[in-house]
Amino acid sequence: MKPANALLAQTGTTIFTVMSALAVQHGAINLGQGFPDTEGPADVVRAAADALLDGRNQYPPLTGTPELREAVAAANKRFYGLDIDAATGVCVTSGATEAITASLMALLNPGDEVVLIEPLYDTYLPVVKLLGATARLVRLEPPRWELPRAELAAAFGPKTKLLLLNSPMNPTGKVFTPEELAFIAGLLREHNAYAVCDEVYEHLVFSGARHIPLMTLPGMAERCVRIGSAGKTFSLTGWKVGYVSGPAALISLVAKAHQNLTFTTAPNLQRAVAYGLGKPDEYFSSLAGELQTKRDLLEAGLRRLGFATLPAQGSYFITADFSALGFTGDDEAFCRALTEQAGVTAIPVSAFYVDNPPRHYARFAFCKQNAVLEAALQRLERWMSSRPLTALA
């Protein structure tokens, strides 16, 4: 038989799948994969159920139902002052992962270069490679995750087509500062490059940080597409409803890519998300407040147990340094031991790097019920107190 796609054949099972399966096998509390363990808002779920029975279950428009496109445009204006044309500046996708893929397809040609920032979400690099483009990696270093400006500038060149920016950032919880965003915008203008902005955690920001879409900066509106996620905004990750906003010239290409991927998305879910995006400000502010309480609970417990935690200003995740615990293995071995012996699952941060990653950090998801987080901390405490720290490996 002739060989199939070489890149996909060489791509292994993701660490998320591996660790989640291990969690099930050992009955562990899964703080690895980033999904809430409660249902989303009851009124949004009810809106989806009602919409399923309203007799509109055939193909919706390629770019999304009018209701949702209008709601996305209105949300851009409401939260960020962005003027997005609902008819030509929005494309609804089957999840943010498809939105990322469609956006990259819309902008990249073989031989183009893409600037990616590590640690990075696991979808980015494979899609860039499948499209025949070359990744230029720039690394954020723990514990502060500051943008290395000289290294970022050096990654740009004549072939640079775009930067893929994730803020608030998975896995670090970093929210890029106004000064960092201004520096990035300057590079994009200088090199006449685009930006694909993965902003799925846009409403999950705390600790005094503020999410600022790169698109709002001078000269950026015509060269950016920004991606949102109903799954993250409404704690309904299984719905897989994403949306891309931007200038008509770029969104028309995103829509063509979307046409050749999933073509459309369940119309009842779209109408429910449109309803949800119109919820009052209190809903969106409460999202961040509740999540910060969960982060603080987990962070305090991890620190009490001897972990050093890194700043987490947004997203679902906090990174913990376990180097002071006496464990002699790397982060993958630590997360396996945690799952198998303590009954708590985390993700090794090395999974978010390409080469020579740091090896003493684990990512914990705190988007769980408080009782679940407390139970996980109790399991960790029992495990750590049951043996000498130097023998944990």
Side-chain angles (χ1 to χ4, degrees):
M1 298 290 287
K2 294 180 179 180
N5 182 276
L7 177 61
L8 293 178
Q10 294 167 8
T11 301
T13 305
T14 71
I15 191 65
F16 310 101
T17 300
V18 170
M19 297 308 299
S20 289
L22 204 62
V24 172
Q25 179 183 345
H26 293 277
I29 295 173
N30 190 350
L31 303 186
Q33 202 162 4
F35 58 86
D37 58 355
T38 56
E39 278 294 283
D43 57 342
V44 177
V45 175
R46 170 51 60 185
D50 291 343
L52 195 61
L53 300 173
D54 71 3
R56 293 185 288 169
N57 290 299
Q58 305 309 321
Y59 292 129
L62 163 67
T63 54
T65 64
E67 299 99 316
L68 183 50
R69 284 186 278 118
E70 290 165 5
V72 170
N76 273 289
K77 184 69 174 179
R78 172 186 177 188
F79 294 112
Y80 310 116
L82 288 167
D83 291 313
I84 299 293
D85 188 309
T88 63
V90 177
C91 182
V92 178
T93 60
S94 293
T97 299
E98 193 218 337
I100 293 163
T101 301
S103 297
L104 294 174
M105 289 174 66
L107 292 168
L108 291 176
N109 292 311
D112 287 340
E113 293 184 356
V114 180
V115 179
L116 299 177
I117 299 176
E118 292 184 293
L120 72 169
Y121 181 58
D122 64 329
T123 294
Y124 298 164
L125 187 58
V127 174
V128 168
K129 289 181 175 180
L130 282 168
L131 294 172
T134 299
R136 298 298 181 200
L137 299 173
V138 177
R139 166 176 274 185
L140 304 185
E141 297 288 354
R144 297 186 61 83
W145 307 119
E146 293 174 329
L147 184 70
R149 300 189 182 191
E151 289 87 341
L152 183 65
F156 278 75
K159 293 184 178 180
T160 302
K161 177 64 73 69
L162 65 86
L163 165 79
L164 206 171
L165 180 67
N166 179 208
S167 182
M169 192 180 190
N170 173 16
T172 66
K174 175 184 176 62
V175 177
F176 282 77
T177 67
E179 295 76 18
E180 290 172 331
L181 293 172
F183 183 78
I184 290 169
L187 289 173
L188 295 174
R189 288 191 296 267
E190 177 185 349
H191 294 274
N192 195 26
Y194 298 99
V196 173
C197 302
D198 178 354
E199 302 178 19
V200 298
Y201 296 103
E202 60 184 318
H203 295 296
L204 310 182
V205 175
F206 24 82
S207 296
R210 183 167 67 95
H211 172 59
I212 302 171
L214 184 64
M215 189 183 287
T216 62
L217 273 64
M220 292 297 103
E222 65 268 23
R223 65 178 72 251
C224 290
V225 295
R226 61 179 301 268
I227 295 165
S229 166
K232 300 301 190 296
T233 297
F234 301 108
S235 299
L236 294 164
T237 57
W239 281 19
K240 298 300 292 177
V241 178
Y243 22 87
V244 190
S245 305
L250 299 185
I251 295 300
S252 67
L253 299 177
V254 172
K256 291 178 180 179
H258 168 59
Q259 180 178 2
N260 289 286
L261 291 168
T262 62
F263 175 66
T264 192
T265 300
N268 71 307
L269 299 182
Q270 291 194 51
R271 293 197 289 278
V273 172
Y275 164 82
L277 286 174
K279 286 171 75 69
D281 291 348
E282 291 74 15
Y283 168 76
F284 296 93
S285 60
S286 69
L287 275 176
E290 291 172 6
L291 205 57
Q292 180 169 337
T293 298
K294 295 175 183 296
R295 183 209 61 180
D296 293 348
L297 189 161
L298 183 59
E299 180 177 37
L302 291 172
R303 284 180 174 273
R304 186 181 71 251
L305 295 174
F307 291 86
T309 58
L310 278 59
Q313 300 171 308
S315 82
Y316 284 157
F317 309 108
I318 190 166
T319 300
D321 181 348
F322 60 85
S323 57
L325 300 183
F327 187 87
T328 56
D330 64 13
D331 58 344
E332 186 171 342
F334 179 77
C335 289
R336 285 182 175 273
L338 218 62
T339 300
E340 296 171 357
Q341 300 173 24
V344 177
T345 296
I347 296 292
V349 170
S350 62
F352 299 92
Y353 288 86
V354 176
D355 294 311
N356 302 313
R359 290 287 189 178
H360 51 93
Y361 295 98
R363 188 198 77 173
F364 293 86
F366 49 80
C367 51
K368 312 294 180 181
Q369 298 176 72
N370 289 355
V372 172
L373 298 175
E374 290 166 351
L377 290 168
Q378 290 168 3
R379 289 187 180 191
L380 288 174
E381 186 170 17
R382 285 196 299 270
W383 178 61
M384 294 173 66
S385 64
S386 67
R387 67 204 71 205
L389 289 181
T390 54
L392 288 181

